[in-house]
Amino acid sequence: KEGLCFHLFSRTRHQDMEEYRAPEMLRSPLEDVCLHTAHLLWQRHAAQGAAAGGPGGEDIAEWLATAPQPPEAVAVRNAVDLLKVLGALTPRGEISGLGVKLANLPLPATMARSVIWGSLLGCLDEVLAIISSSSGRDPFQLPSD
């Protein structure tokens, strides 16, 4: 059909694009993927009316290993260890109360923890200013294109 077609990128950029994007699990920070996996496993565990306790770090690794393109086992283990250090997971690998709060915030776990502490300590405005300035790109840098 005749008409005009407007593209938002050049032909050169289109030729340089990948045919398919990598799965979001591989593009996202792995600690966030592990945290959300732990939260979903905990919700599933609670919905089934299971006894006290919940899925641990082993279950997170096992669950992620069933993905079509799973992350490396060492990387998952490191991400689970980081979440334990942050307090999002208990030493047994179960999601903690803090982990549930972190999973519900639309931020990486490290930044979400800072926001929660900033709120508790009464310095939320300052924490938000620091996080917003550190999470974006440099405003004085021109795009590479």
Side-chain angles (χ1 to χ4, degrees):
K1 188 174 181 180
E2 285 190 43
L4 295 176
C5 178
F6 295 96
H7 294 276
L8 299 177
F9 43 82
S10 66
R11 281 194 170 106
T12 305
R13 178 171 268 190
H14 182 262
Q15 291 170 349
D16 291 342
M17 288 182 179
E18 297 175 8
E19 190 171 346
Y20 299 101
R21 288 188 70 166
E24 186 174 357
M25 182 188 310
L26 300 177
R27 290 183 280 127
S28 301
L30 194 53
E31 60 270 7
D32 290 342
V33 173
C34 290
L35 178 62
H36 286 94
T37 301
H39 191 230
L40 291 171
L41 290 172
W42 174 75
Q43 287 176 331
R44 184 179 74 172
H45 189 75
Q48 292 173 348
E58 292 292 320
D59 290 332
I60 296 168
E62 290 171 10
W63 181 268
L64 292 177
T66 63
Q69 293 179 335
E72 297 286 331
V74 173
V76 172
R77 196 169 30 252
N78 290 339
V80 168
D81 289 343
L82 175 62
L83 291 173
K84 288 178 183 178
V85 169
L86 291 174
L89 297 178
T90 65
R92 289 183 13 187
E94 300 168 355
I95 193 163
S96 65
L98 176 62
V100 172
K101 299 290 185 205
L102 295 177
N104 287 324
L105 291 173
L107 292 169
T110 53
M111 291 184 180
R113 184 171 188 238
S114 299
V115 168
I116 290 173
W117 276 107
S119 174
L120 292 173
L121 298 174
C123 56
L124 183 60
D125 291 340
E126 291 82 359
V127 170
L128 291 176
I130 292 169
I131 287 176
S132 63
S133 66
S134 67
S135 63
R137 66 174 184 82
D138 184 4
F140 301 106
Q141 185 178 17
L142 293 174
S144 62
D145 204 14

